Amino acid sequence: MATPSDWLAGTRPRTLPAAVAPVLAGTGVAAYVDEPVWWKAALALVVSLALQIAVNYANDYSDGIRGTDDLRVGPMRLVGSGAATPAAVRTAALLAVGVAGVAGLTLAATTAWWLAVVGLVCVLAAWFYTGGPKPYGYLGLGELMVFVFFGLVAVIGTTYVQTESFELLALYAAVGIGALACAILVVNNLRDIPTDTVAGKRTLAVLLGDERTRYFYALLVGVAAVAVVAVAAASTWWCLLGLLFLVRMAAPLRTVVGGGEHKVTGPVLIPVLQQTGVGQLVWAVLVAVPLLILE
């Protein structure tokens, strides 16, 4: 039987900064263009965290029953390791969706009901990442969907529920957050190229190959840096402090693209997941704080 620590590990804590960062960035934009609505920001954070956990449990369930995790080299998975039954993990995913749904419906009821449709699309995207007969995560589309939902939708949505307006500044912030969210998935899939290839899981990393995936990771970090400049140009140049996120990203970049002919592979890449997530969180904090202070 899975222990509480096993269930906590199943939430994939290394990925959770990717749920916090967009809410920070979106709230910073809301503060700069109008006024932050803190209780709505808190609900947006609940939605984002719950959906991230739901995605992680759903991925654990779907990959587990398909046998994709049988040769896993990364952290323990509940279904793949046999620590929990598929039904239990599926129930955990549904409970997380329920929490997100309650918070999301509250936001929709107090902002605009069409947001409930956006929320439903997010839930479907979470499930069909690795679930269903043709999961898009097995077709090389995972990074695109992460950029859309954990970048564009999450940041712009957080701003919208507080300001009830669409802001170009929110789009710039969303691109930076989305790029780093993609980078987290890219390094995860880079690590799993050998086992995913055997299991028939055609992630973008499998399609690109090892070397080009590493360059793609570096490109995403570069896009996030450019997004900082765009945010600063559209608001305050103090947001250029956000470029200091590159200091935090130096170590993961060296790990992913350094090493010459002796590239780091397999489990050694696991810490890069957390390092990239922290780098994304640093990006969000350093960009959001000037926006909040200078509102």
Side-chain angles (χ1 to χ4, degrees):
M1 181 176 292
T3 64
S5 62
D6 290 335
W7 284 105
L8 177 61
T11 66
R12 307 187 194 183
R14 291 182 178 88
T15 69
L16 296 185
V20 177
V23 178
L24 283 175
T27 299
V29 173
Y32 187 81
V33 302
D34 191 359
E35 292 289 339
V37 182
W38 292 109
W39 67 269
K40 287 190 173 184
L43 283 177
L45 181 59
V46 171
V47 172
S48 189
L49 281 168
L51 280 178
Q52 179 70 62
I53 291 170
V55 168
N56 291 340
Y57 279 141
N59 180 247
D60 191 312
Y61 165 77
S62 298
D63 278 351
I65 62 174
R66 280 189 168 88
T68 307
D69 287 338
D70 289 351
L71 301 174
R72 184 167 184 79
V73 297
M76 183 271 291
R77 293 292 178 254
L78 292 163
V79 176
S81 68
T85 65
V89 176
R90 182 180 59 203
T91 299
L94 292 174
L95 286 173
V97 167
V99 171
V102 170
L105 286 173
T106 302
L107 286 172
T110 55
T111 307
W113 277 109
W114 58 262
L115 289 171
V117 178
V118 176
L120 177 60
V121 173
C122 290
V123 170
L124 293 175
W127 175 253
F128 287 107
Y129 172 55
T130 55
K134 289 187 177 181
Y136 63 83
Y138 282 56
L139 301 173
L141 297 175
E143 283 77 4
L144 174 61
M145 301 304 281
V146 163
F147 180 80
V148 170
F149 288 102
F150 286 95
L152 301 183
V153 173
V155 176
I156 295 172
T158 297
T159 299
Y160 184 85
V161 296
Q162 296 178 68
T163 66
E164 297 192 31
S165 63
F166 291 104
E167 304 293 336
L168 189 59
L169 183 57
L171 175 61
Y172 296 153
V175 169
I177 291 294
L180 292 175
C182 286
I184 296 172
L185 182 58
V186 165
V187 77
N188 179 79
N189 291 341
L190 172 65
R191 180 200 65 207
D192 292 341
I193 285 177
T195 53
D196 284 346
T197 300
V198 172
K201 185 176 182 180
R202 295 174 60 80
T203 63
L204 184 61
V206 170
L207 296 173
L208 290 177
D210 183 276
E211 184 175 8
R212 282 183 290 182
T213 298
R214 294 174 190 273
Y215 290 138
F216 184 46
Y217 177 86
L219 174 63
L220 290 168
V221 174
V223 169
V226 172
V228 171
V229 178
V231 170
S235 57
T236 168
W237 291 109
W238 283 106
C239 285
L240 288 179
L241 288 170
L243 290 174
L244 291 174
F245 91 98
L246 291 170
V247 175
R248 190 63 186 84
M249 293 301 299
L253 277 168
R254 282 195 302 269
T255 301
V256 173
V257 302
E261 295 180 359
H262 304 287
K263 301 291 188 184
V264 172
T265 59
V268 185
L269 287 168
I270 293 173
V272 179
L273 286 171
Q274 184 172 19
Q275 292 166 353
T276 306
V278 172
Q280 184 195 37
L281 194 57
V282 169
W283 190 105
V285 170
L286 294 179
V287 169
V289 167
L291 295 175
L292 287 163
I293 293 175
L294 299 173
E295 60 176 289

